[in-house]
Amino acid sequence: MYESDITKFLRQYLEEHPEEVESQRQGRAVWWDKTPEERAQTPSMRHAPRAGGNEHTFAPAGGYEWSFEVDDNANTKSNP
């Protein structure tokens, strides 16, 4: 079976430096091996940006200008 030079080098390196295997395990545990309780909670969306009037500020330079106009069927009354 074919093995690349890099694979051969890594195998030889890990045989000569077994402490690196433990270092890899510790690094993986820091970033990946976590229980759901250890993981950060999903942040609330309370401060997430909202649309607030900037929807039609894009002024196209050419092409499909008609597609960026205000919708003819849009409700013209502002919602409270």
Side-chain angles (χ1 to χ4, degrees):
M1 180 167 83
Y2 172 78
E3 264 192 352
S4 70
D5 292 337
I6 295 172
T7 302
K8 290 176 187 175
F9 168 78
L10 287 174
R11 287 187 195 279
Q12 180 183 355
Y13 180 81
L14 291 176
E15 285 177 13
E16 295 171 2
H17 302 278
E19 70 277 1
E20 290 298 322
V21 175
E22 182 57 31
S23 174
Q24 287 178 341
R25 281 194 188 104
Q26 290 174 356
R28 179 185 166 104
V30 167
W31 294 103
W32 297 106
D33 297 337
K34 298 195 178 289
T35 64
E37 293 79 26
E38 293 173 321
R39 295 177 191 212
Q41 293 183 353
T42 305
S44 74
M45 296 303 288
R46 191 173 120 221
H47 298 292
R50 297 182 187 148
N54 295 333
E55 293 86 359
H56 301 290
T57 58
F58 180 75
Y64 297 102
E65 288 90 358
W66 56 269
S67 67
F68 297 105
E69 298 284 328
V70 177
D71 187 5
D72 293 335
N73 298 325
N75 185 2
T76 55
K77 295 179 184 177
S78 59
N79 294 331

